[in-house]
Amino acid sequence: MNNYEDIARRQPRLLTKKLQQGIPDAIRGMVWQLMSNGKSLELEATYRTLLTRTSSHEKQIQRDLARTFPKHEHFAEVGGSGQESLFNVIKGYSLYDPEVGYCQGLAFIAGPLLLNMPDEEAFCVLVQLMKAYNFRELFTKSMSGLHLRLYQFDRLLEEMLPVIAKHLEGQDIKSTMYASQWFMTLFAYRFPLELVFRIMDIVFAEGIEAIFRFSFALLKRNQDVILSLDFEPLLEFLKVGLFDVYINNINGLIQNAASINISKARLDKLAQDHLEELKKNDPETLTSDALRSENRRLQDALRKLEAGYEMLNREHIELAKQHMEARAAAERSNMRVEELQIKVEGLQSVLTSERSQAEEDVKDEMDRLAKKNLELTTRNSELEDMVEKMQSALGEANAKLMVLEKERSDLQGKWDGLRSALKR
C-alpha cells in the first residue's frame, strides 16, 4: 500500500486489474488517501480550526442532512454521530472554499468518504477531490466544469450511442436533466453505496473522466428499455432505474465500463471545442471566469499564508512554553545540585571522622588479637609438655601392668596345683 505510486507507474495493468476487482472494505479508506495524496496533518489542523467558526450555510446544510442518505443507518438518525460528522465536513468545506460554499451534491461525495475514514481525513480527501481531481469546477456558481463535462458527454453520446442520442433528442430530454447528478454525486444520489464505493475506487485511480465510461456502460446496457419509453417515464428511468439491470452483478458493470474506450486526446479535443464555442458565444464569461480563477488562486495563497502564520504562531507559543519549562527545570536542577553538594560535603566529613575511629578500633582489635594469640601459643606449648609427660607415665604403667599380669598368671597356676593336691 505504501508503494502505490511506484506500482501505478511500473505495473499499471496489474493495478487496474486489482482495482476492478474492488478494494477490500477494511483498507479502502487508507487506499483512497494514498491514491489521492489526501493525508495532511496541516489540513487536518485547519479543519479543526474551521469547525470553531460559523458558516452562513449551516441552516441549509442542516436541512439537507436528512435528505442525503435517509435510508442508511449511519446517517438516518437525526442528531446522530453520522449526521454530525457529515455536517462538520460540509460546513468545514464551505468555510475553506467560500467561492463554492455549499451545494447538496457535496454531501453525496462526503458521505461515502465518512463511511471509510474519520471526518478530519474525509475533509482532506474531499479537498483533494475538489482541487486535484477538478471536481471543484462542478460546484462553482458558474458551474463551468459541469458545462464542460456535459458538453463532452453530449458529443460522445452522439458518437458512441447515436440511436439513444437521437431518441433523447426526440423526447426533448437534455443531459442537464439526468447526467448532471451523475457527475456531481458520483451516482451516490440514488445508487447503492456498494456500487458507489466500487465506482469511487476507479475514480480515485483514473479521475473524473471515469464517470463517462460508467455512464455509457449503463446507457448501452439499458438501450432497449430507453428506446421503449417516452418523456416522463424515460426521465424517471434515467434518474433511478439504470442500475437495476446490474443489481446482482456489480462486477459486470465494472467490466463493461472498463471495456469502453474514451481517450484523453478525445476529451481534450472536446474541451478545446467547448472553449472555442464559449469564445464565440460569450467572450465576457471567459474574462469573468479568468478573473474568478485568479481571485481563487489569490484566496488559496492567502489561506495558505494564514494557515502558515497560525502554525508558526502556535509553534512560537509552544517553543516559548518549552523555553520557560526548560528554564524552570534548569533552576530546579541547580537547586538540587546545591543540595546534593551540601549532602556530599556532610557525608565526606562523617566518613573522615568515622574512618579515623574505624582505624583506631581496628588497631585495638589487632592488639587484642595478638595478645590473645600469644596466650594461646603459650598455653598450647604447656599442653604439649603435659601430653608428653602423660604419654611417658602411660608407658611405665603399661610395663608394670605386664609384670603384674605375669605374676597373677604364676599365682593362678600354683593355686590350681594346690587345689588338685587337696582333692586327692
Side-chain angles (χ1 to χ4, degrees), residues 85-149:
S85 60
L86 185 58
F87 173 83
N88 286 339
V89 171
I90 302 305
K91 168 194 168 181
Y93 190 82
S94 72
L95 292 166
Y96 179 81
D97 189 352
E99 184 181 351
V100 169
Y102 169 69
C103 175
Q104 189 180 5
L106 290 173
F108 286 102
I109 297 176
L113 298 179
L114 285 168
L115 292 173
N116 289 279
M117 64 191 74
D119 60 329
E120 65 274 12
E121 295 178 356
F123 173 80
C124 296
V125 175
L126 177 62
V127 170
Q128 280 298 97
L129 282 173
M130 297 294 279
K131 288 186 175 181
Y133 287 76
N134 296 323
F135 275 74
R136 185 181 183 280
E137 302 305 318
L138 301 175
F139 298 96
T140 58
K141 291 181 180 180
S142 66
M143 291 188 169
S144 57
L146 182 60
H147 293 316
L148 168 62
R149 297 307 178 186

Side-chain angles (χ1 to χ4, degrees), residues 11-28:
Q11 297 177 293
R13 291 184 179 179
L14 174 62
L15 178 62
T16 299
K17 182 179 179 181
K18 293 295 183 183
L19 290 174
Q20 289 173 357
Q21 293 172 355
I23 300 171
D25 293 340
I27 61 171
R28 176 170 273 119

